[in-house]
């Protein structure tokens, strides 16, 4: 293990419980003695088959697990064997970090085993071994978090429907990185894993989408969609009707194929032919005032390849942070991106070296808290919102309907960081569809044929102004959907807002 020699902070920080039991001192001593008869190596073996939540509860049963990991006597070495390397688990005589506790070691073994299982189930192209190589990047470069880590912590696998299941169903893998580290992280995905770039996730940052995050305060700049090279190679072969089938790659290496050579060629042109256009026309960075520094270019590290297939598929989200926060004073690290999670349990992470478990007592019990400000907004919005008679409203009508609800929410919940985009939109001038100017022939005839909604959709300023309330509504709907999804997975949200079960919340857009 890369981090075993660095004490408790290197693996997982677990504090020894105070007052673990109210039993007598004699009973406690007897329990400690009984548990002490089982060697550390046996406990580690048990941990490799157990869920982290079970290891956590076992560790709380006795102070025995808060003792340093012991070193068993090494058997005599044969003449043809190399000398065994000395263990780094115990503190060296010359000082250094504290020794690794048995509880910490057991949790790490269990977390790694279960994370490996979740990654294999995801078929994302990322393995535990490749993920550990992510830890070779400078500290603070990237972490894996979200539902992948929640499953690893609970020792479960979630299928496509979100339920606890062992049936086949790929899970999403969320990776969060700083803008500075993004090129190195992309090269790690390509070189150390079996991954390729398959496009930008419009649903995170597009005004045209129903899932915009820019209606709220966020440290995210953009989100990239990645997938497995091997999975996309199989997909390419399955859709190559009438074409000569490509011979299978040697030893299962998808990078030794004509398909890989082709997508590497696409990657050399994706910035100029796809990314630049998308940032300007699809994601509306200019109108939203989003930084377009060249540091955000989708590129690998110097000399690396960036395989790209616009028609590819995948289940990896690479979330790239802004260079600095909105104040311009603080650089954004992956930990800052995790603050955008609405549920505390989703902040559990692994950077290739260290696991960070958010609120371990609740996490390992399958419980979590909702971020207070998001909870307050959801509670108020769910209370004031009434579904319109026409469930398919869009454009100006949807903007007016959601805006009226938001006005009531802002009276109830004044102190939140989520109103910035609404305030920006309020400052923009009102822009209606222009009428034909009878005194000149310089009017644009094509605009005269557009409806009010269509004109707003095509006018950048009007689009930002009228979309803000719609996207705030969609932000709340997304929070409600995530709340219900995790509750359906068996996660108990301790401070869940009251949302009427019979009230239907639908996402809206600027156009039908």
């Amino acid at each position: 293990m890369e981090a075993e020699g660095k004490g408790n902070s290197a693996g997982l920080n677990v504090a020894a419980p105070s007052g673990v039991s109210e039993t007598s001192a004699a009973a406690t001593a007897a329990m400690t003695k009984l548990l002490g008869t089982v060697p550390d190596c046996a406990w580690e073996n048990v941990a490799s088959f157990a869920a982290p939540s079970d290891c956590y509860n076992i560790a709380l049963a006795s102070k025995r697990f808060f003792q340093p990991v012991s070193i068993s006597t090494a058997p005599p070495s044969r003449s043809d064997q190399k000398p065994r390397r000395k263990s780094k688990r115990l503190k060296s005589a010359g000082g250094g970090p504290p020794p690794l506790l048995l509880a910490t070691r057991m949790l790490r073994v269990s977390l790694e085993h279960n994370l490996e299982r979740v990654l294999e189930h995801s078929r994302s192209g990322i393995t535990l071994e490749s993920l550990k190589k992510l830890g070779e990047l400078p500290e603070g470069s990237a972490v894996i978090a979200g539902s992948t880590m929640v499953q690893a912590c609970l020792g479960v696998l979630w299928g496509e429907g979100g339920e606890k299941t062992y049936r086949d169903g790929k899970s999403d893998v969320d990776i969060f990185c700083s803008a500075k580290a993004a090129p190195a992280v992309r090269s790690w995905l390509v070189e150390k894993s079996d991954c390729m770039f398959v496009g930008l996730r419009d649903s995170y940052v597009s005004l045209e989408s129903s899932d915009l995050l820019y209606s709220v305060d966020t440290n995210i700049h953009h989100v990239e969609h990645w997938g497995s090279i091997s999975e996309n190679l199989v997909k390419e072969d399955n859709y190559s009707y009438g074409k000569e089938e490509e011979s299978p790659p040697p030893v299962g290496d998808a990078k030794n194929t004509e398909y890989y050579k082709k997508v590497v060629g696409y990657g050399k042109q994706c910035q100029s032919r796809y990314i630049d256009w998308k940032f300007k026309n699809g994601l509306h960075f200019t109108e939203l005032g989003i930084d377009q520094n060249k540091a955000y270019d989708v590129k690998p590290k110097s000399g690396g390849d960036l395989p790209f297939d616009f028609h590819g598929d995948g289940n990896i989200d690479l979330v790239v942070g802004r260079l600095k926060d909105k104040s311009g004073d603080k650089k954004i690290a992956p930990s800052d991106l995790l603050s955008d999670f609405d549920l505390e349990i989703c902040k559990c992470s692994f950077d290739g070296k260290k696991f960070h478990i958010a609120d371990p007592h609740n996490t390992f019990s399958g419980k979590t808290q909702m971020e207070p400000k998001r909870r307050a907004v959801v509670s108020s919005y769910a209370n004031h919102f009434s579904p319109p008679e026409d469930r398919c409203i869009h454009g100006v009508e949807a903007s007016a309907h959601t805006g009226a609800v938001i006005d009531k929410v802002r009276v109830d919940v004044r102190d939140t960081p989520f109103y910035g985009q609404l305030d920006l939109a309020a400052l923009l001038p009102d822009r209606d569809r222009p009428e034909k100017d009878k005194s000149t022939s310089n009017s644009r005839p094509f605009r005269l044929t557009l409806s009010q909604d269509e004109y707003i959709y095509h006018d950048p300023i009007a689009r930002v102004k009228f979309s803000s309330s719609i996207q705030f509504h969609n932000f709340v709907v997304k929070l409600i959907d995530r709340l219900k999804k995790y509750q359906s997975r068996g996660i108990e949200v301790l401070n869940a807002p009251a949302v009427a079960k019979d009230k239907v919340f639908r996402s809206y857009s600027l156009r039908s």
Side-chain angles (χ1 to χ4, degrees):
M1 299 294 175
E2 301 90 346
E4 271 190 30
K6 298 180 181 178
N8 299 331
S9 63
L12 178 68
N13 293 324
V14 182
S18 58
V20 169
S21 174
E22 298 297 328
T23 59
S24 65
T28 301
M31 173 66 74
T32 301
K33 184 176 180 180
L34 175 63
L35 295 175
T37 61
V38 181
D40 291 352
C41 59
W43 284 118
E44 291 185 24
N45 192 40
V46 169
S48 68
F49 291 95
S53 54
D54 294 330
C55 292
Y56 184 78
N57 290 327
I58 291 173
L60 294 179
S62 171
K63 293 182 180 180
R64 155 78 173 87
F65 297 99
F66 293 88
Q67 297 173 356
V69 176
S70 62
I71 300 180
S72 57
T73 305
S77 60
R78 302 201 314 260
S79 58
D80 58 342
Q81 285 183 323
K82 294 182 179 180
R84 284 177 174 252
R85 185 181 61 179
K86 291 184 178 180
S87 173
K88 297 181 180 180
R89 292 181 184 175
L90 291 181
K91 183 177 179 181
S92 61
L100 190 70
L101 302 183
L102 178 57
T104 301
R105 176 63 184 149
M106 288 175 62
L107 274 171
R108 183 174 180 99
V109 168
S110 180
L111 283 166
E112 286 190 356
H113 171 76
N114 283 277
L115 179 56
E116 181 178 31
R117 194 164 58 106
V118 174
L119 290 171
E120 181 179 354
H121 183 66
S122 74
R123 303 203 307 274
S124 62
I126 300 175
T127 65
L128 177 63
E129 288 308 309
S130 67
L131 189 55
K132 288 181 178 180
K133 294 186 181 299
L134 183 65
E136 297 174 2
L137 300 179
E139 187 173 358
S141 294
V143 298
I144 185 171
S147 62
T148 296
M149 279 301 303
V150 175
Q151 292 175 82
C153 289
L154 299 180
V156 299
L157 295 176
W158 290 332
E160 293 173 329
E163 67 275 11
K164 290 183 179 180
T165 178
Y166 286 88
R167 69 178 176 82
D168 189 39
K170 293 191 291 186
S171 302
D172 290 338
V173 177
D174 299 321
I175 300 171
F176 299 79
C177 73
S178 65
K180 181 180 179 181
V185 174
R186 295 186 190 105
S187 290
W188 163 75
L189 281 166
V190 175
E191 298 171 4
K192 306 301 182 182
S193 301
D194 174 42
C195 302
M196 61 186 293
F197 177 52
V198 295
L200 292 173
R201 287 299 297 265
D202 301 22
S203 62
Y204 279 83
V205 290
S206 173
L207 281 173
E208 302 166 17
S209 165
S210 62
D211 299 311
L212 180 73
L213 287 185
Y214 274 121
S215 59
V216 301
D217 185 38
T218 177
N219 292 314
I220 297 172
H221 183 267
H222 69 271
V223 179
E224 301 168 17
H225 199 189
W226 288 70
S228 164
I229 298 172
S230 297
E231 291 282 322
N232 280 288
L233 174 61
V234 172
K235 175 184 173 184
E236 172 81 0
D237 287 344
N238 289 340
Y239 284 95
S240 299
Y241 299 117
K243 296 181 181 180
E244 182 179 348
E245 290 190 8
E246 186 173 352
S247 58
V251 200
D253 186 2
K255 296 178 181 178
N256 290 331
T257 62
E258 290 301 318
Y259 172 72
Y260 184 75
K261 294 178 182 178
K262 179 175 67 174
V263 295
V264 166
Y266 293 157
K268 297 182 185 301
Q269 306 174 56
C270 79
Q271 182 67 42
S272 59
R273 295 193 175 186
Y274 172 68
I275 302 297
D276 290 341
W277 183 93
K278 203 70 175 176
F279 278 1
K280 181 179 180 181
N281 299 286
L283 306 184
H284 310 291
F285 280 2
T286 301
E287 291 81 15
L288 290 168
I290 305 301
D291 185 12
Q292 298 183 67
N293 192 298
K294 296 296 287 182
Y296 299 119
D297 285 358
V298 179
K299 60 186 178 183
K301 67 182 182 182
S302 180
D305 290 328
L306 182 74
F308 168 57
D309 187 350
F310 179 80
H311 299 290
D313 192 19
N315 58 325
I316 303 170
D317 283 343
L318 177 59
V319 184
V320 181
R322 299 188 183 195
L323 289 170
K324 294 184 178 181
D325 64 6
K326 290 186 176 181
S327 68
D329 298 328
K330 178 185 175 184
K331 293 182 179 180
I332 298 299
S335 57
D336 298 308
L337 302 180
L338 301 186
S339 66
D340 287 327
F341 274 119
D342 48 327
L343 299 178
E344 188 74 14
I345 197 170
C346 294
K347 298 178 182 180
C348 297
S349 64
F350 180 54
D351 65 0
K353 288 184 177 179
K354 294 184 288 186
F355 287 96
H356 171 74
I357 307 302
D359 192 3
H361 289 287
N362 278 330
T363 293
F364 290 130
S365 299
K367 301 177 182 179
T368 190
Q369 297 274 355
M370 190 171 186
E371 192 275 320
K373 293 183 178 179
R374 286 172 171 79
R375 181 196 179 279
V377 168
V378 168
S379 179
S380 177
Y381 200 95
N383 179 51
H384 292 297
F385 179 80
S386 295
E389 293 184 6
D390 180 4
R391 66 178 186 177
C392 298
I393 63 172
H394 60 276
V396 175
E397 188 177 1
S399 181
H401 186 81
T402 55
V405 181
I406 292 170
D407 289 342
K408 297 177 182 178
V409 173
R410 296 192 71 162
V411 173
D412 294 345
V413 187
R414 298 181 180 275
D415 182 25
T416 79
F418 309 138
Y419 303 140
Q421 192 64 33
L422 295 167
D423 294 336
L424 171 64
L427 296 175
L428 297 175
D430 292 322
R431 292 164 71 97
D432 294 327
R433 179 172 63 90
E435 298 295 334
K436 184 175 181 180
D437 187 351
K438 298 180 180 180
S439 63
T440 178
S441 60
N442 291 333
S443 59
R444 297 184 178 181
F446 79 92
R447 282 191 172 179
L448 301 180
T449 64
L450 298 179
S451 68
Q452 181 72 1
D453 284 347
E454 289 173 326
Y455 172 69
I456 289 173
Y457 178 80
H458 287 282
D459 183 275
I461 301 299
R463 188 187 303 126
V464 172
K465 186 172 183 66
F466 284 91
S467 70
S468 62
S469 59
I470 294 176
Q471 299 299 353
F472 187 92
H473 165 85
N474 293 339
F475 161 66
V476 176
V477 172
K478 190 168 187 177
L479 292 178
I480 293 174
D481 288 345
R482 279 175 50 81
L483 173 64
K484 292 181 177 179
K485 179 174 68 174
Y486 273 82
Q487 287 175 327
S488 71
R489 290 169 167 174
I491 304 298
E492 181 182 353
V493 182
L494 299 173
N495 62 339
V499 179
K501 293 183 179 180
D502 59 345
K503 186 176 288 189
V504 179
F505 295 87
R506 289 186 173 87
S507 296
Y508 300 131
S509 63
L510 278 178
R511 66 192 311 186
S512 58

